Amino acid sequence: MLLIALGTASIRTGWTLPGVGRHVTRPSIYGLGALFVGAPCVIQGLFYFRIVPTPSWEIHFFGANALLLSGLVLMGLGQMLPSRRS
């Protein structure tokens, strides 16, 4: 839930955590990555407590890993791409 809140704040306002803020050059890309990393964690909780129907384990496994990996890549790109303010 905290990653989803951080992602939403980064996308809407450009705010990041104070320790990470000086390294992040594109907060919107970083925020989208945080959303992609936080979403599988929340979805897994929904499956565990049977709030939503559970798909097959293959869909759950590969879908969650794809979201996590793409989120980590986006968070890395948010720190490595040059700033638009130049």
Side-chain angles (χ1 to χ4, degrees):
M1 296 296 281
L2 291 175
L3 279 172
I4 292 174
L6 172 66
T8 305
S10 293
I11 290 173
R12 297 216 43 197
T13 64
W15 180 84
T16 58
L17 292 173
V20 181
R22 65 176 180 252
H23 300 291
V24 174
T25 56
R26 300 270 181 107
S28 60
I29 295 175
Y30 184 83
L32 185 62
L35 283 175
F36 279 8
V37 171
C41 301
V42 172
I43 292 170
Q44 184 174 353
L46 295 175
F47 290 150
Y48 179 77
F49 291 112
R50 307 227 187 261
I51 295 172
V52 295
T54 305
S56 67
W57 72 269
E58 294 95 353
I59 294 172
H60 184 238
F61 177 76
F62 290 118
N65 284 337
L67 278 175
L68 282 170
L69 181 63
S70 62
L72 290 174
V73 167
L74 284 173
M75 289 176 82
L77 283 174
Q79 294 179 0
M80 291 190 310
L81 289 176
S83 178
R84 285 197 234 169
R85 296 181 202 158
S86 300

